[in-house]
Amino acid sequence: DTEVTQTPKHLVMGMTNKKSLKCEQHMGHRAMYWYKQKAKKPPELMFVYSYEKLSINESVPSRFSPECPNSSLLNLHLHALQPEDSALYLCASSPSDRVYTEAFFGQGTRLTVV
Amino acid sequence: RKEVEQDPGPFNVPEGATVAFNCTYSNSASQSFFWYRQDCRKEPKLLMSVYSSGNEDGRFTAQLNRASQYISLLIRDSKLSDSATYLCVVNPSASKIIFGSGTRLSIRP
């Protein structure tokens, strides 16, 4: 199983809503990532979790709140988002943040904030 | 200076042509390098890792030049299905995976 599964695939939310994005992997990977990708731009790193602890926060606004309940799951809680936060949100995992190796990506959640 | 820089293209080449992309990186301590491919409205997928000795996978050849801090990707005998955005990816540290801006490739019949 080399899959990273993200749900939902599409999400439309209002600026006052609270929603969560979910990511799951069963490859035993110990590093998990959230990326944000706008149209025709490369993915931009948001957060890195290593061994279930937040290791990198790339100065992401607090309206995005990550959570890693266990080694297989990664959530991104969304609250009071702005229309400019509309983007493709990609989750990725890699075996470890201490080993230089490639990351595997989920299919992403396409988020629209209205 | 951006950590990873690529020529954005677009490259528009005929089927069967050979095309090459370059990517430069700023952090000399970077340890690993990859090329990813991303189709429109899809997630990035690993195309190949890039090793110091260079590596080849069918029609694709990747090279790393540590002294000049660049990596390259060569596609021979290009197919229509090669049309995509090619992303250069660098690990400046084990925790970070940084993408270049991507090079758009369009293969015409």
Side-chain angles (χ1 to χ4, degrees), chain B residues 21-99:
Chain B
F21 311 135
N22 284 331
C23 167
T24 57
Y25 60 94
S26 60
N27 188 330
S28 59
S30 299
Q31 292 294 322
S32 54
F33 310 88
F34 310 94
W35 284 103
Y36 277 73
R37 170 195 169 128
Q38 187 170 25
D39 293 290
C40 188
R41 301 181 73 80
K42 300 281 190 180
E43 77 276 22
K45 291 190 175 174
L46 179 69
L47 179 65
M48 59 197 304
S49 303
V50 188
Y51 304 119
S52 296
S53 54
N55 49 306
E56 189 173 312
D57 182 2
R59 298 181 293 107
F60 298 84
T61 300
Q63 298 273 1
L64 166 63
N65 184 318
R66 284 192 184 274
S68 302
Q69 293 183 207
Y70 78 83
I71 68 173
S72 63
L73 178 67
L74 181 78
I75 306 175
R76 289 182 298 277
D77 187 25
S78 52
K79 312 290 185 193
L80 295 175
S81 56
D82 294 334
S83 297
T85 296
Y86 290 83
L87 296 156
C88 167
V89 176
V90 174
N91 280 133
S93 64
S95 304
K96 293 184 90 167
I97 299 172
I98 303 298
F99 285 80

Coordinates of all heavy atoms in Angstrom, one line a residue, chain B residues 21-99:
Chain B
F21 N 15.5 20.1 -19.1 CA 15.1 21.1 -18.1 C 16.3 21.2 -17.1 O 16.9 20.2 -16.8 CB 13.9 20.7 -17.3 CG 12.7 20.3 -18.1 CD1 12.0 19.2 -17.8 CD2 12.3 21.0 -19.3 CE1 10.9 18.8 -18.5 CE2 11.2 20.6 -20.0 CZ 10.5 19.5 -19.6
N22 N 16.5 22.4 -16.6 CA 17.5 22.6 -15.6 C 16.8 23.2 -14.4 O 15.8 23.8 -14.4 CB 18.6 23.5 -16.0 CG 19.6 22.9 -17.0 OD1 19.8 21.6 -16.9 ND2 20.1 23.6 -17.9
C23 N 17.5 23.0 -13.2 CA 17.0 23.5 -12.0 C 18.2 23.8 -11.1 O 19.2 23.0 -11.1 CB 16.2 22.4 -11.3 SG 15.7 22.6 -9.6
T24 N 18.2 25.0 -10.5 CA 19.3 25.3 -9.6 C 18.8 25.4 -8.2 O 17.7 25.7 -7.9 CB 20.0 26.7 -10.0 OG1 19.0 27.7 -10.0 CG2 20.6 26.6 -11.4
Y25 N 19.7 25.1 -7.2 CA 19.4 25.2 -5.8 C 20.4 26.0 -5.1 O 21.6 26.1 -5.5 CB 19.2 23.8 -5.2 CG 20.4 22.9 -5.3 CD1 21.3 22.9 -4.2 CD2 20.7 22.2 -6.4 CE1 22.4 22.1 -4.2 CE2 21.8 21.3 -6.4 CZ 22.7 21.3 -5.4 OH 23.8 20.5 -5.4
S26 N 20.0 26.7 -4.0 CA 20.9 27.6 -3.3 C 21.6 27.0 -2.1 O 22.7 27.5 -1.8 CB 20.1 28.8 -2.9 OG 19.0 28.5 -2.0
N27 N 21.0 26.0 -1.5 CA 21.6 25.5 -0.3 C 22.6 24.4 -0.6 O 22.2 23.2 -1.0 CB 20.5 25.0 0.6 CG 21.0 24.6 2.0 OD1 22.1 24.2 2.2 ND2 20.2 24.7 3.0
S28 N 23.9 24.6 -0.4 CA 24.9 23.6 -0.8 C 24.8 22.4 0.1 O 25.4 21.4 -0.2 CB 26.3 24.3 -0.7 OG 26.5 24.8 0.6
A29 N 24.1 22.5 1.2 CA 24.0 21.3 2.1 C 22.9 20.4 1.7 O 22.7 19.3 2.4 CB 23.8 21.8 3.6
S30 N 22.2 20.7 0.7 CA 21.1 19.9 0.2 C 21.6 18.5 -0.1 O 22.7 18.3 -0.7 CB 20.4 20.5 -1.0 OG 19.9 21.7 -0.7
Q31 N 20.9 17.5 0.3 CA 21.3 16.1 0.2 C 20.7 15.3 -0.8 O 21.2 14.3 -1.4 CB 21.2 15.4 1.6 CG 22.1 15.9 2.7 CD 23.5 15.7 2.4 OE1 23.9 14.6 1.9 NE2 24.4 16.6 2.7
S32 N 19.4 15.5 -1.1 CA 18.7 14.7 -2.0 C 17.8 15.5 -3.0 O 17.4 16.6 -2.6 CB 17.9 13.6 -1.3 OG 17.0 14.2 -0.4
F33 N 17.7 15.0 -4.1 CA 17.1 15.7 -5.2 C 16.1 14.8 -6.0 O 16.4 13.6 -6.2 CB 18.2 16.2 -6.2 CG 19.3 16.9 -5.4 CD1 20.4 16.2 -4.9 CD2 19.2 18.3 -5.2 CE1 21.4 16.8 -4.2 CE2 20.2 18.9 -4.5 CZ 21.3 18.2 -4.0
F34 N 15.1 15.4 -6.5 CA 14.1 14.6 -7.2 C 13.4 15.4 -8.3 O 13.4 16.6 -8.3 CB 12.9 14.1 -6.2 CG 13.4 13.5 -5.0 CD1 13.6 14.3 -3.8 CD2 13.7 12.2 -4.9 CE1 14.0 13.8 -2.6 CE2 14.2 11.6 -3.7 CZ 14.3 12.4 -2.6
W35 N 12.9 14.6 -9.3 CA 12.0 15.2 -10.3 C 10.6 14.6 -10.0 O 10.5 13.4 -10.0 CB 12.5 14.9 -11.7 CG 13.6 15.8 -12.1 CD1 14.9 15.4 -12.2 CD2 13.6 17.2 -12.5 NE1 15.7 16.5 -12.6 CE2 14.9 17.6 -12.8 CE3 12.5 18.1 -12.7 CZ2 15.2 18.9 -13.3 CZ3 12.8 19.4 -13.1 CH2 14.2 19.7 -13.4
Y36 N 9.7 15.5 -9.9 CA 8.3 15.1 -9.8 C 7.5 15.5 -11.1 O 7.9 16.5 -11.7 CB 7.6 15.7 -8.6 CG 7.8 15.0 -7.3 CD1 9.0 15.1 -6.7 CD2 6.8 14.3 -6.7 CE1 9.2 14.4 -5.5 CE2 7.0 13.6 -5.5 CZ 8.2 13.7 -4.9 OH 8.4 13.1 -3.7
R37 N 6.5 14.9 -11.4 CA 5.6 15.2 -12.5 C 4.2 15.5 -11.9 O 3.7 14.8 -11.1 CB 5.6 14.1 -13.5 CG 4.5 14.2 -14.6 CD 4.3 12.9 -15.3 NE 3.1 13.1 -16.1 CZ 3.0 12.8 -17.4 NH1 4.0 12.3 -18.0 NH2 1.9 13.0 -18.1
Q38 N 3.6 16.6 -12.4 CA 2.3 16.9 -12.0 C 1.4 17.2 -13.2 O 1.7 18.1 -14.0 CB 2.3 18.2 -11.1 CG 0.9 18.4 -10.4 CD 0.9 19.4 -9.3 OE1 1.8 20.3 -9.3 NE2 -0.1 19.4 -8.4
D39 N 0.4 16.4 -13.4 CA -0.6 16.6 -14.4 C -1.6 17.6 -13.9 O -1.8 17.8 -12.7 CB -1.3 15.3 -14.8 CG -0.3 14.4 -15.5 OD1 0.1 14.7 -16.6 OD2 0.1 13.4 -14.8
C40 N -2.3 18.2 -14.8 CA -3.3 19.3 -14.5 C -4.3 18.8 -13.5 O -5.0 17.7 -13.7 CB -4.0 19.8 -15.8 SG -5.0 21.2 -15.5
R41 N -4.5 19.5 -12.4 CA -5.4 19.2 -11.3 C -5.2 17.9 -10.7 O -6.1 17.3 -10.1 CB -6.9 19.3 -11.9 CG -7.2 20.7 -12.5 CD -8.6 20.8 -13.0 NE -9.6 20.8 -11.9 CZ -9.9 21.9 -11.3 NH1 -9.3 23.1 -11.5 NH2 -10.8 21.9 -10.3
K42 N -4.0 17.4 -10.7 CA -3.6 16.2 -10.0 C -2.5 16.4 -9.0 O -1.9 17.5 -9.0 CB -3.1 15.1 -11.0 CG -4.2 14.7 -12.0 CD -5.2 13.8 -11.5 CE -6.0 13.2 -12.6 NZ -7.1 12.3 -12.1
E43 N -2.2 15.4 -8.2 CA -1.1 15.6 -7.2 C 0.2 15.3 -7.9 O 0.3 14.6 -8.9 CB -1.3 14.7 -6.0 CG -1.0 13.2 -6.3 CD -2.1 12.4 -6.9 OE1 -3.0 13.0 -7.5 OE2 -2.0 11.2 -6.8
P44 N 1.3 15.9 -7.3 CA 2.6 15.6 -7.8 C 3.0 14.1 -7.6 O 2.6 13.5 -6.6 CB 3.6 16.5 -7.0 CG 2.7 17.5 -6.3 CD 1.4 16.8 -6.2
K45 N 3.6 13.5 -8.6 CA 4.0 12.1 -8.5 C 5.5 12.0 -8.8 O 6.0 12.7 -9.7 CB 3.2 11.2 -9.4 CG 1.8 11.1 -9.0 CD 1.1 10.1 -9.8 CE -0.4 9.9 -9.3 NZ -1.2 9.0 -10.1
L46 N 6.2 11.2 -8.0 CA 7.6 11.1 -8.2 C 8.0 10.5 -9.6 O 7.4 9.4 -10.0 CB 8.2 10.1 -7.1 CG 9.7 9.9 -7.2 CD1 10.5 11.1 -6.9 CD2 10.1 8.7 -6.3
L47 N 8.8 11.2 -10.3 CA 9.3 10.7 -11.6 C 10.6 9.9 -11.4 O 10.7 8.8 -11.8 CB 9.5 11.9 -12.6 CG 10.0 11.5 -14.0 CD1 9.0 10.7 -14.7 CD2 10.3 12.8 -14.7
M48 N 11.5 10.5 -10.8 CA 12.8 9.9 -10.5 C 13.6 10.6 -9.5 O 13.5 11.8 -9.3 CB 13.6 9.6 -11.8 CG 14.0 10.8 -12.5 SD 14.5 10.4 -14.2 CE 15.8 9.2 -14.0
S49 N 14.4 9.9 -8.7 CA 15.4 10.5 -7.8 C 16.6 10.9 -8.7 O 16.8 10.3 -9.8 CB 15.8 9.5 -6.7 OG 14.7 9.1 -6.0
V50 N 17.4 11.8 -8.2 CA 18.6 12.2 -8.9 C 19.8 11.9 -8.1 O 20.0 12.3 -6.9 CB 18.6 13.7 -9.2 CG1 19.7 14.1 -10.1 CG2 17.2 14.1 -9.8
Y51 N 20.7 11.1 -8.6 CA 21.9 10.7 -7.9 C 23.2 11.4 -8.4 O 23.2 11.8 -9.6 CB 22.1 9.2 -7.9 CG 20.9 8.4 -7.5 CD1 20.2 7.5 -8.3 CD2 20.4 8.6 -6.2 CE1 19.1 6.9 -7.8 CE2 19.3 7.9 -5.7 CZ 18.6 7.1 -6.5 OH 17.5 6.4 -6.1
S52 N 24.2 11.4 -7.6 CA 25.4 12.1 -8.0 C 26.0 11.5 -9.3 O 26.6 12.2 -10.1 CB 26.5 12.0 -6.9 OG 26.0 12.7 -5.8
S53 N 25.8 10.2 -9.4 CA 26.4 9.5 -10.6 C 25.5 9.7 -11.8 O 25.9 9.2 -12.9 CB 26.6 8.1 -10.3 OG 25.4 7.5 -9.8
G54 N 24.4 10.3 -11.7 CA 23.4 10.4 -12.8 C 22.7 9.1 -12.9 O 23.1 8.0 -12.5
N55 N 21.4 9.2 -13.3 CA 20.7 8.0 -13.5 C 19.7 8.1 -14.6 O 19.3 9.2 -15.0 CB 20.0 7.6 -12.1 CG 19.2 8.7 -11.5 OD1 19.8 9.8 -11.3 ND2 17.9 8.5 -11.3
E56 N 19.4 6.9 -15.1 CA 18.5 6.8 -16.3 C 17.4 5.9 -16.1 O 17.5 4.8 -15.4 CB 19.4 6.3 -17.5 CG 18.8 6.4 -18.9 CD 19.7 6.0 -20.0 OE1 20.9 6.5 -20.0 OE2 19.4 5.2 -20.8
D57 N 16.2 6.2 -16.6 CA 15.1 5.3 -16.5 C 14.3 5.4 -17.8 O 13.5 6.3 -18.0 CB 14.2 5.8 -15.3 CG 13.0 4.9 -15.1 OD1 12.9 3.9 -15.9 OD2 12.1 5.1 -14.3
G58 N 14.6 4.5 -18.7 CA 14.0 4.5 -20.0 C 14.4 5.7 -20.8 O 15.6 6.0 -21.0
R59 N 13.4 6.5 -21.1 CA 13.7 7.7 -21.9 C 14.1 8.9 -21.1 O 14.4 10.0 -21.6 CB 12.4 8.1 -22.7 CG 12.0 7.1 -23.7 CD 10.7 7.5 -24.4 NE 9.5 7.6 -23.6 CZ 9.0 8.7 -23.2 NH1 9.5 9.9 -23.6 NH2 7.9 8.7 -22.4
F60 N 14.2 8.8 -19.8 CA 14.5 9.9 -18.9 C 15.8 9.7 -18.3 O 16.2 8.6 -17.8 CB 13.4 9.9 -17.7 CG 12.0 10.1 -18.2 CD1 11.2 9.1 -18.7 CD2 11.5 11.4 -18.2 CE1 9.9 9.3 -19.2 CE2 10.2 11.6 -18.7 CZ 9.4 10.6 -19.2
T61 N 16.6 10.8 -18.3 CA 17.9 10.8 -17.7 C 18.0 12.0 -16.7 O 17.7 13.2 -17.2 CB 19.0 10.9 -18.7 OG1 18.9 9.8 -19.6 CG2 20.4 10.9 -18.1
A62 N 18.5 11.8 -15.5 CA 18.7 12.9 -14.6 C 20.1 13.0 -14.2 O 20.8 12.0 -14.1 CB 17.8 12.6 -13.3
Q63 N 20.6 14.2 -14.0 CA 22.0 14.5 -13.7 C 22.0 15.5 -12.5 O 21.1 16.3 -12.4 CB 22.7 15.1 -14.9 CG 22.8 14.2 -16.1 CD 24.0 13.3 -16.1 OE1 24.8 13.3 -15.1 NE2 24.1 12.5 -17.1
L64 N 23.1 15.3 -11.7 CA 23.3 16.3 -10.6 C 24.7 16.8 -10.7 O 25.6 16.1 -10.9 CB 23.1 15.5 -9.3 CG 23.7 16.2 -8.0 CD1 22.9 17.5 -7.7 CD2 23.6 15.3 -6.8
N65 N 24.8 18.1 -10.6 CA 26.1 18.8 -10.6 C 26.2 19.5 -9.3 O 25.7 20.6 -9.1 CB 26.2 19.7 -11.8 CG 27.6 20.3 -11.9 OD1 28.2 20.8 -10.9 ND2 28.2 20.4 -13.1
R66 N 26.9 18.9 -8.3 CA 27.0 19.5 -7.0 C 27.8 20.8 -7.0 O 27.6 21.8 -6.3 CB 27.5 18.6 -6.0 CG 26.6 17.5 -5.5 CD 27.1 16.7 -4.3 NE 26.2 15.7 -3.9 CZ 25.2 15.8 -3.1 NH1 24.9 17.0 -2.6 NH2 24.4 14.8 -2.8
A67 N 28.9 20.8 -7.8 CA 29.8 22.0 -7.8 C 29.0 23.2 -8.3 O 29.2 24.3 -7.7 CB 31.0 21.7 -8.7
S68 N 28.2 23.1 -9.3 CA 27.4 24.2 -9.8 C 26.0 24.3 -9.2 O 25.2 25.2 -9.6 CB 27.3 24.1 -11.3 OG 28.6 24.1 -11.9
Q69 N 25.7 23.3 -8.4 CA 24.4 23.3 -7.7 C 23.2 23.4 -8.7 O 22.3 24.2 -8.6 CB 24.3 24.4 -6.7 CG 25.3 24.2 -5.5 CD 25.2 25.3 -4.4 OE1 26.2 25.6 -3.8 NE2 24.1 25.9 -4.3
Y70 N 23.2 22.4 -9.6 CA 22.1 22.3 -10.5 C 21.8 20.8 -10.8 O 22.7 20.0 -10.7 CB 22.2 23.1 -11.8 CG 23.0 22.5 -12.9 CD1 22.5 21.6 -13.7 CD2 24.3 22.9 -13.0 CE1 23.3 21.1 -14.8 CE2 25.1 22.4 -14.1 CZ 24.6 21.5 -14.9 OH 25.4 21.0 -15.9
I71 N 20.5 20.6 -11.1 CA 20.1 19.2 -11.6 C 19.4 19.4 -12.9 O 18.9 20.5 -13.2 CB 19.2 18.5 -10.5 CG1 17.9 19.1 -10.4 CG2 19.9 18.4 -9.2 CD1 16.9 18.3 -9.5
S72 N 19.4 18.3 -13.6 CA 18.8 18.4 -15.0 C 18.0 17.2 -15.2 O 18.2 16.1 -14.6 CB 19.9 18.6 -16.0 OG 20.7 17.4 -16.1
L73 N 17.1 17.3 -16.2 CA 16.2 16.2 -16.6 C 16.2 16.2 -18.1 O 15.9 17.3 -18.7 CB 14.8 16.3 -16.1 CG 13.8 15.2 -16.5 CD1 14.2 13.9 -15.9 CD2 12.4 15.6 -16.1
L74 N 16.5 15.1 -18.7 CA 16.5 15.0 -20.2 C 15.4 14.0 -20.6 O 15.4 12.9 -20.0 CB 17.9 14.5 -20.7 CG 18.0 14.4 -22.2 CD1 18.2 15.7 -22.8 CD2 19.2 13.5 -22.5
I75 N 14.6 14.3 -21.5 CA 13.5 13.4 -22.0 C 13.8 13.2 -23.5 O 13.8 14.1 -24.3 CB 12.1 14.0 -21.8 CG1 11.8 14.4 -20.3 CG2 11.1 13.0 -22.3 CD1 10.5 15.1 -20.1
R76 N 14.1 11.9 -23.8 CA 14.3 11.6 -25.2 C 13.0 11.0 -25.8 O 12.2 10.5 -25.1 CB 15.4 10.5 -25.3 CG 16.8 11.1 -25.0 CD 17.8 9.9 -25.1 NE 17.5 8.8 -24.2 CZ 17.9 8.8 -23.0 NH1 18.6 9.8 -22.5 NH2 17.6 7.8 -22.2
D77 N 12.9 11.2 -27.2 CA 11.8 10.6 -27.9 C 10.5 10.9 -27.2 O 9.7 10.0 -26.8 CB 12.0 9.1 -28.0 CG 11.0 8.4 -28.9 OD1 10.4 9.1 -29.8 OD2 10.7 7.2 -28.7
S78 N 10.2 12.2 -27.0 CA 9.1 12.6 -26.2 C 7.8 12.1 -26.8 O 7.6 12.0 -28.0 CB 9.1 14.1 -26.1 OG 9.1 14.7 -27.3
K79 N 6.8 11.8 -25.9 CA 5.5 11.3 -26.2 C 4.5 12.3 -25.8 O 4.7 13.1 -25.0 CB 5.2 10.0 -25.5 CG 6.3 8.9 -25.5 CD 6.4 8.3 -26.9 CE 7.4 7.2 -26.8 NZ 7.8 6.8 -28.2
L80 N 3.3 12.2 -26.5 CA 2.2 13.1 -26.1 C 1.9 13.0 -24.6 O 1.6 14.0 -24.0 CB 0.9 12.8 -26.9 CG 1.0 13.0 -28.4 CD1 -0.3 12.5 -29.1 CD2 1.3 14.5 -28.8
S81 N 2.0 11.8 -24.1 CA 1.7 11.6 -22.6 C 2.7 12.2 -21.7 O 2.5 12.3 -20.5 CB 1.6 10.1 -22.3 OG 2.8 9.5 -22.7
D82 N 3.8 12.7 -22.2 CA 4.8 13.4 -21.4 C 4.4 14.9 -21.1 O 5.0 15.5 -20.2 CB 6.2 13.5 -22.1 CG 6.8 12.1 -22.3 OD1 6.5 11.2 -21.5 OD2 7.6 11.9 -23.2
S83 N 3.3 15.4 -21.7 CA 2.9 16.7 -21.4 C 2.4 16.8 -20.0 O 1.6 16.1 -19.5 CB 1.7 17.1 -22.4 OG 2.1 17.1 -23.7
A84 N 3.0 17.7 -19.3 CA 2.8 17.9 -17.8 C 3.7 19.0 -17.3 O 4.4 19.6 -18.1 CB 3.2 16.6 -17.1
T85 N 3.6 19.3 -16.0 CA 4.5 20.2 -15.4 C 5.5 19.4 -14.6 O 5.2 18.4 -13.9 CB 3.8 21.1 -14.4 OG1 2.9 22.0 -15.1 CG2 4.7 22.0 -13.6
Y86 N 6.8 19.7 -14.8 CA 7.9 18.9 -14.2 C 8.4 19.8 -13.0 O 8.9 20.9 -13.3 CB 8.9 18.5 -15.2 CG 8.4 17.5 -16.1 CD1 7.6 17.8 -17.2 CD2 8.6 16.1 -15.9 CE1 7.1 16.9 -18.1 CE2 8.1 15.2 -16.7 CZ 7.3 15.5 -17.8 OH 6.8 14.6 -18.6
L87 N 8.4 19.2 -11.8 CA 8.8 19.9 -10.6 C 10.1 19.4 -10.1 O 10.3 18.2 -9.9 CB 7.7 19.8 -9.6 CG 6.4 20.4 -9.9 CD1 5.3 19.7 -9.1 CD2 6.4 21.9 -9.6
C88 N 11.1 20.3 -9.9 CA 12.3 20.0 -9.3 C 12.2 20.1 -7.8 O 11.6 21.0 -7.3 CB 13.4 21.0 -9.8 SG 14.9 21.0 -8.9
V89 N 12.6 19.1 -7.1 CA 12.4 19.0 -5.6 C 13.7 18.8 -4.9 O 14.5 17.9 -5.3 CB 11.4 17.9 -5.3 CG1 11.2 17.8 -3.8 CG2 10.0 18.2 -5.9
V90 N 14.0 19.5 -3.9 CA 15.2 19.5 -3.2 C 15.0 19.3 -1.7 O 14.0 19.9 -1.1 CB 16.0 20.8 -3.4 CG1 17.3 20.8 -2.6 CG2 16.4 20.9 -4.9
N91 N 15.8 18.5 -1.0 CA 15.8 18.4 0.5 C 16.9 19.3 1.0 O 18.1 18.8 1.1 CB 16.0 17.0 1.0 CG 14.8 16.1 0.9 OD1 14.9 15.0 0.4 ND2 13.7 16.6 1.4
P92 N 16.7 20.6 1.4 CA 17.8 21.4 1.9 C 18.1 20.9 3.3 O 19.2 21.1 3.8 CB 17.2 22.8 2.0 CG 15.7 22.6 2.0 CD 15.4 21.3 1.2
S93 N 17.2 20.2 4.0 CA 17.4 19.5 5.3 C 16.4 18.4 5.3 O 15.5 18.3 4.5 CB 17.2 20.5 6.5 OG 15.8 20.9 6.5
A94 N 16.7 17.5 6.2 CA 15.8 16.2 6.2 C 14.4 16.5 6.4 O 13.5 15.8 5.9 CB 16.3 15.3 7.2
S95 N 14.0 17.6 7.1 CA 12.6 17.9 7.4 C 11.9 18.6 6.3 O 10.7 18.7 6.3 CB 12.5 18.8 8.6 OG 13.2 18.2 9.7
K96 N 12.6 19.2 5.4 CA 12.0 20.1 4.4 C 12.1 19.5 3.0 O 13.1 19.0 2.6 CB 12.6 21.5 4.4 CG 12.4 22.2 5.7 CD 13.0 23.6 5.6 CE 12.0 24.6 5.1 NZ 12.4 26.0 5.3
I97 N 11.0 19.6 2.3 CA 11.0 19.2 0.9 C 10.5 20.5 0.1 O 9.4 20.9 0.3 CB 10.0 18.0 0.7 CG1 10.5 16.8 1.4 CG2 9.9 17.7 -0.8 CD1 9.6 15.7 1.5
I98 N 11.4 21.0 -0.7 CA 11.1 22.3 -1.3 C 10.9 22.1 -2.8 O 11.8 21.4 -3.5 CB 12.2 23.3 -1.1 CG1 12.4 23.5 0.4 CG2 11.9 24.7 -1.8 CD1 11.2 24.1 1.1
F99 N 9.9 22.7 -3.4 CA 9.6 22.5 -4.8 C 10.1 23.8 -5.6 O 10.0 24.9 -5.1 CB 8.1 22.5 -5.1 CG 7.5 21.1 -4.7 CD1 7.2 20.8 -3.4 CD2 7.3 20.2 -5.7 CE1 6.7 19.6 -3.0 CE2 6.7 19.0 -5.3 CZ 6.4 18.7 -4.0

